[in-house]
Amino acid sequence: MSPATAVKSALDHIDLADPQVFTDPDHHRIFRYLRDHAPLHWNPEGSEPGFWSVTRYEDCLAVQKDGVTFSSAGTNTLGAQRWTGDEGSGRMLTHVDGPRHTELRQIVNRAFTPRAIGRLEPYIRSVVVESLDEALEAGEVDFVDTVALLPVASIAALLGIPKEDWRLLLNLTTAAFGSADQDVQLSPSARAAAAAAHAQLLLYCQDLMDQRRIAPRDDIVTRLVEAQRTGKLTEEDAMLFFDLLLLGGNETTRHGAVGALLALMDHPDQWRRLRADRGLLNPAVGEVLRYVSPSKHVLRRAERDVELHGQTVRAGQEVAIWHFSANRDGRAFADPDVFDVGRVSDVPHLALGSGPHYCIGAALASLELRLFLDELCDRVGSAELLEPPVRLASTVIGGFKRARVSLRPV
Ligand code: HEM
């Protein structure tokens, strides 16, 4: 059997909604096959209702940009909520279209401009330095833990949460939302602890909003309070927004940083190059996002029948947009499987999405990763794997459950 035939026959039995598919380091092979031979692929009902997949760069870009034909108003990822209903549907920023989406985005937009984000640099750098120094002192660490505080503290600073509460927030966020990993999510004890931590998190949010009602500040929580006063948000919507902001940039950025270290370890020449020339930090951040692609996919629902690659996506059917596959598409990127910190590309990567729902935290994520790479080059001389890293069982987040490494200082 030729390799292509073997992959095709295996594909007939692969359920792309099964998170275990992504624990295989070789899962890129499946998506390479899809891009080349089945660019619009129907995944029949299995663990979830059936759905289409687009895997090529230009299709992912086109579907994501066309928010009129492809709606976000149902649910925006694969997962159990496709059976049970999604509480964010039609309410949360990520789950609405058109004018309501614009209205919601405008509530927080100004807090996310590169200028506003730039003001957080000293805080974020101090968290990176503290995390790396602690890890270097320990010598052997699980790097997934090492970088856990970075995204939570960065979002907390933006939300207006005082520094003394950052660790509390990390603990509550970790317990409430846990990990994207399917094995962790399925444990009943983890689910009970998650519900309790989430309740505590919402009480914390409510308390913070009460404080800002009395004494407004220049922060996101104050904006959420103001939007309630003007009738744009209910209190419950404001809390959903708080949740979304904490969640949206948490595991994505964390696994971006873990993936960055692993990519640099795999490509010591690229690490040396970056260490010697920090002018490459910005392209390196873009390359980390493209190569690692911490967000694997998003989901859209067709509002009308659409013809694509000789097949019809029917109105009401859902389409998974696999960013991580688009980012490895040789039609868009030269040598797509090569990690090149100085990559010059004609097209932008899709790791942060595209179109109306383009990642609102893009500037924040980029700053976090830039400071992380900068301090990593300054502080960590070399790193070695203590065991093979274990991939997350997740269709949503591309990352690692465990990445145990030993680190040596410069
Ligand atoms: C490496 C880090 C990150 C990655 C890979 C990432 C990826 C993405 C992607 C792919 C989308 C598009 C979702 C869609 O089209 O349905 C998105 C949207 C979003 N991201 Fe990020 N993100 C990252 C960091 C952040 C950060 C730091 C925040 C800060 C709070 C954030 C908050 C959001 C929000 C609120 C949205 C929804 C925007 C909308 O629906 O209009 N993200 N992100």
Side-chain angles (χ1 to χ4, degrees):
M1 207 188 299
S2 76
T5 319
V7 181
K8 180 170 182 345
S9 89
L11 197 62
D12 291 339
H13 301 97
I14 287 176
D15 176 6
L16 296 179
D18 177 0
Q20 298 298 335
V21 167
F22 299 90
T23 58
D24 178 355
D26 214 14
H27 65 271
H28 276 288
R29 209 161 57 104
I30 300 168
F31 285 82
R32 198 175 308 130
Y33 178 86
L34 287 172
R35 288 194 299 271
D36 289 346
H37 302 286
L40 178 68
H41 167 72
W42 176 252
N43 198 91
E45 181 172 319
S47 55
E48 292 190 20
F51 61 94
W52 293 101
S53 283
V54 285
T55 45
R56 284 188 187 167
Y57 182 93
E58 67 167 17
D59 295 331
C60 290
L61 184 67
V63 172
Q64 216 167 0
K65 280 206 150 167
D66 185 354
V68 174
T69 309
F70 296 100
S71 165
S72 294
T75 183
N76 79 336
T77 56
L78 297 171
Q81 68 282 0
R82 291 182 67 226
W83 292 115
T84 58
D86 192 325
E87 71 162 342
S89 287
R91 296 178 71 186
M92 247 157 59
L93 179 69
T94 35
H95 292 56
V96 289
D97 303 317
R100 178 61 177 157
H101 174 253
T102 310
E103 182 178 49
L104 287 180
R105 220 165 143 122
Q106 277 167 353
I107 294 171
V108 292
N109 236 347
R110 283 210 341 255
F112 284 98
T113 60
R115 194 147 162 238
I117 296 299
R119 288 199 283 270
L120 302 177
E121 179 162 340
Y123 300 101
I124 300 179
R125 195 182 285 277
S126 71
V127 174
V128 173
V129 168
E130 194 184 307
S131 307
L132 288 178
D133 283 353
E134 253 177 44
L136 281 166
E137 203 173 305
E140 295 188 353
V141 289
D142 181 346
F143 208 71
V144 180
D145 294 334
T146 296
V147 289
L149 184 62
L150 169 64
V152 176
S154 305
I155 301 163
L158 194 65
L159 285 165
I161 291 167
K163 199 167 179 177
E164 59 271 21
D165 288 350
W166 289 357
R167 289 246 170 222
L168 167 74
L169 209 71
L170 170 62
N171 294 339
L172 288 180
T173 312
T174 309
F177 304 124
S179 144
D181 190 78
Q182 186 198 39
D183 304 335
V184 178
Q185 283 173 357
L186 291 180
S187 116
S189 62
R191 253 182 284 161
H198 195 207
Q200 250 184 294
L201 205 58
L202 293 180
L203 286 175
Y204 183 93
C205 168
Q206 217 167 19
D207 191 40
L208 208 59
M209 291 201 291
D210 287 344
Q211 291 175 32
R212 295 299 185 270
R213 266 186 205 102
I214 298 163
R217 288 202 200 157
D218 183 13
D219 62 28
I220 288 186
V221 174
T222 303
R223 284 166 206 271
L224 296 179
V225 165
E226 178 58 14
Q228 289 170 65
R229 196 186 61 75
T230 54
K232 289 181 183 155
L233 292 178
T234 62
E235 190 177 40
E236 207 183 318
D237 287 342
M239 289 196 203
L240 277 177
F241 221 133
F242 183 87
D243 262 8
L244 171 68
L245 294 175
L246 272 181
L247 255 181
N250 189 1
E251 284 205 77
T252 43
T253 319
R254 183 180 187 175
H255 290 292
V258 175
L261 175 72
L262 296 179
L264 290 169
M265 287 166 66
D266 271 353
H267 303 85
D269 57 323
Q270 296 300 309
W271 197 344
R272 276 194 299 276
R273 199 175 156 203
L274 187 59
R275 205 192 295 282
D277 180 3
R278 303 305 164 85
L280 290 175
L281 279 172
N282 284 335
V285 167
E287 181 66 348
V288 162
L289 286 167
R290 183 194 73 82
Y291 188 82
V292 176
S293 286
S295 160
K296 284 219 162 304
H297 83 277
V298 289
L299 202 66
R300 296 293 187 259
R301 189 186 62 216
E303 293 295 285
R304 59 174 174 83
D305 289 2
V306 182
E307 295 292 319
L308 194 58
H309 297 294
Q311 300 182 85
T312 307
V313 176
R314 299 268 170 222
Q317 290 183 325
E318 288 168 301
V319 183
I321 304 162
W322 296 95
H323 308 116
F324 87 103
S325 167
N327 283 340
R328 294 290 184 103
D329 186 352
R331 295 160 192 81
F333 300 99
D335 301 322
D337 295 321
V338 169
F339 179 68
D340 171 4
V341 293
R343 181 178 286 274
V344 179
S345 167
D346 293 338
V347 294
H349 65 73
L350 298 186
L352 300 165
S354 177
H357 290 273
Y358 178 71
C359 179
I360 203 169
L364 180 58
S366 302
L367 178 64
E368 287 175 57
L369 290 174
R370 180 164 63 74
L371 298 176
F372 169 75
L373 290 175
D374 197 19
E375 293 298 334
L376 188 78
C377 286
D378 269 355
R379 279 157 207 279
V380 180
S382 65
E384 266 171 46
L385 284 176
L386 293 167
E387 61 188 28
V390 182
R391 284 182 179 271
L392 285 174
S394 171
T395 60
V396 180
I397 300 287
F400 293 88
K401 197 172 354 199
R402 236 180 9 257
R404 296 197 60 243
V405 290
S406 74
L407 302 175
R408 255 181 252 112
V410 165

